[in-house]
Amino acid sequence: MSAKLNIASIVGARPQLIKAAVLSRALRARSEFHEVLIHTGQHYDNEMSRVFFEELAIPQPDFHLGVGSASHTLQTARMLERLEEPLVTTQPQAVLVYGDTNSTLAGALAAAKLEIPVVHVEAGLRSFDRRMPEEINRVVADHLAALLFAPTKTAVENLRREGLAADKVRLVGDVMYDAALFYEGIAVKKSNVLERLKLSSKGYVLATVHRAANTDTPSNLRAIMEGLEQVARNVPVVFPLHPRTRVALERDRLLERSSEAISIVPPVGYLDMALLERNARLIATDSGGVQKEAFFYRVPCVTLRGETEWTELVALGWNRLVAPVSSSAVFEAVMAAIGSEGAPDAPYGNGGAAELIAQEILRMGECAS
Ligand code: UD1
Ligand code: UDP
């Protein structure tokens, strides 16, 4: 092929920066690609965005749309409006979207309206709960996509059940596993987070919370925080706080009280997070990415939700679900899971997902030209 294959990658939220870090590297390592990086601006605090560009050596975005926070409709609408110009002027042959955020939805929709093929990385995940904003985003992105990269066999099966043509779907593994493998050694060398937070290896529980179902339901949020406060009487708890959860804790007047028992810290960078995860005795989270990272580092995990998209971890015994219906439910689930182990398996591939994706996109480009 003579001309380069022009790919526009659309990112916006923290986990997408991590996924894009490995995929951008794989694309830019090949002379056949030219990548245009578009940041919607969905996440904008330094510790939710800039730190990842610096630590993970992500190329600076070619376009920053500065969308910021708003209601789902308004935020998505602003993204759609602002995506048209960069997509029209750069004329990519494919648009790459990641995961299930509003940036994913807007990116997929804008590309589809401009008749640019959509490539969806992390396709086929389902919680089967349409009240969850991410579920709407991922279903729409999958159904608009020309090429779907599924991280797991379960994801492939979900797509098949929804009638998506098998020849558009590729099982490649999880790019977040690629990221964990690539950055683990760098994190060990560079991060001094344990010293900074005065933590000892395997001497603490790591917790994160940000799901709308938990932050926007005061009874869930209270159950989680009170459950973790009880845990903290037995094992120290460290809690990097998502900005959405900060707002919710302040709303419910929980921040000050919880801070007395729990070490609540600002969001940390990826390298610090990798080290915090790797050295935790247990991880309690409602994050999709953090559930998997717990497994990558073979740390037992309690998911603070009644369901998960990453069902294989529950089946293997590395992850336990607890709907945060009461503080005792959270406390008991965490204490029971400490010290537990799951079965050995490798459900997320071998760390070469980004490379496989790059090869497949190239093949798609060759077929189209
Ligand atoms: C979004 C994604 C979610 C993903 C998460 C990763 C959607 C619908 N949700 O949720 O799937 O798991 O990102 O972290 O796209 N805020 C700040 N500073 C920031 C960003 C956000 O203060 O840099 C606060 C604002 O109060 C904002 C709130 O967090 O209203 C929520 O942000 P938003 O991007 O809408 O959703 P997330 O909860 O971050
Ligand atoms: N993460 C981070 N700092 C934090 C919390 C999370 O770097 O303070 C990383 C985490 O290691 C994982 C990703 O952010 O790679 C997960 O993002 P998040 O939990 O915001 O979203 P989700 O995966 O649930 O969509």
Side-chain angles (χ1 to χ4, degrees):
M1 206 187 331
S2 51
K4 287 188 184 242
L5 194 60
N6 194 9
I7 306 291
S9 298
I10 298 179
V11 296
R14 171 168 70 186
Q16 293 166 329
L17 303 178
I18 295 153
K19 294 163 198 170
V22 284
L23 206 41
S24 277
R25 185 172 303 109
L27 294 178
R28 289 170 196 238
R30 289 171 167 267
S31 58
E32 297 97 325
F33 289 109
H34 171 73
E35 189 194 28
V36 175
L37 191 61
I38 304 177
H39 191 324
T40 63
Q42 176 169 352
H43 285 174
Y44 45 86
D45 289 345
N46 284 343
E47 64 262 31
M48 296 297 286
S49 178
R50 198 173 77 189
V51 66
F52 300 99
F53 283 86
E54 290 170 0
E55 284 190 345
L56 310 185
I58 307 170
Q60 281 307 302
D62 300 280
F63 298 89
H64 197 296
L65 309 183
V67 163
S69 303
S71 68
H72 287 286
T73 41
L74 201 55
Q75 188 182 54
T76 311
R78 284 187 184 140
M79 289 176 190
L80 267 179
E81 196 175 22
R82 295 180 197 186
L83 276 165
E84 185 170 71
E85 196 186 316
L87 292 180
V88 168
T89 51
T90 58
Q91 297 193 328
Q93 281 128 301
V95 163
L96 206 59
V97 293
Y98 298 89
D100 54 19
T101 74
N102 290 343
S103 298
T104 316
L105 173 66
L109 205 47
K113 291 287 177 193
L114 294 166
E115 298 183 19
I116 306 167
V118 175
V119 175
H120 188 200
V121 176
E122 207 179 79
L125 295 196
R126 296 292 181 268
S127 65
F128 303 102
D129 178 2
R130 288 278 170 106
R131 288 167 307 175
M132 191 181 179
E134 291 85 353
E135 184 79 351
I136 298 164
N137 296 344
R138 33 172 113 98
V139 168
V140 175
D142 282 341
H143 284 256
L144 292 176
L147 196 50
L148 297 98
F149 290 111
T152 61
K153 289 183 194 148
T154 314
V156 172
E157 176 57 18
N158 289 338
L159 295 168
R160 191 196 60 75
R161 258 193 277 115
E162 288 178 19
L164 284 153
D167 63 356
K168 294 198 291 189
V169 178
R170 305 281 186 281
L171 176 62
V172 288
D174 185 7
V175 288
M176 292 201 75
Y177 185 40
D178 298 19
L181 290 177
F182 187 88
Y183 292 107
E184 184 181 9
I186 301 175
V188 169
K189 268 197 216 121
K190 288 200 173 164
S191 169
N192 62 0
V193 68
L194 297 192
E195 292 80 2
R196 250 176 29 242
L197 298 181
K198 301 188 172 48
L199 298 167
S200 62
S201 182
K202 301 296 162 187
Y204 60 92
V205 165
L206 173 68
T208 79
V209 171
H210 73 275
R211 288 281 156 217
N214 285 333
T215 59
D216 299 359
T217 311
S219 59
N220 284 12
L221 190 62
R222 182 173 288 273
I224 291 171
M225 298 315 290
E226 290 182 356
L228 292 176
E229 286 167 28
Q230 289 175 45
V231 172
R233 289 188 206 122
N234 299 272
V235 196
V237 177
V238 60
F239 193 135
L241 189 59
H242 192 289
R244 175 191 199 105
T245 314
R246 172 170 293 280
V247 173
L249 291 178
E250 281 167 352
R251 175 200 66 205
D252 295 348
R253 297 180 207 290
L254 287 170
L255 185 57
E256 216 170 299
R257 206 201 62 198
S258 291
S259 300
E260 285 170 15
I262 300 171
S263 172
I264 297 181
V265 298
V268 295
Y270 182 80
L271 302 181
D272 281 350
M273 191 63 181
L275 225 61
L276 283 175
E277 290 171 336
R278 200 172 174 262
N279 288 287
R281 189 180 299 177
L282 176 129
I283 296 177
T285 188
D286 61 8
S287 157
V290 176
Q291 281 173 60
K292 283 176 296 162
E293 286 164 350
F295 169 72
F296 301 155
Y297 301 119
R298 300 298 188 269
V299 173
C301 183
V302 168
T303 292
L304 302 163
R305 292 171 55 193
E307 77 286 311
T308 181
E309 299 76 19
W310 305 99
T311 50
E312 45 291 317
L313 295 181
V314 179
L316 289 173
W318 286 101
N319 191 0
R320 301 169 182 210
L321 302 178
V322 58
V325 289
S326 66
S327 59
S328 56
V330 172
F331 170 69
E332 281 159 22
V334 169
M335 296 313 289
I338 285 180
S340 67
E341 285 197 11
D345 199 359
Y348 300 114
N350 61 6
E355 186 49 38
L356 286 175
I357 292 172
Q359 285 169 17
E360 288 293 332
I361 297 175
L362 202 53
R363 202 163 297 149
M364 178 181 84
E366 278 163 358
C367 291
S369 65

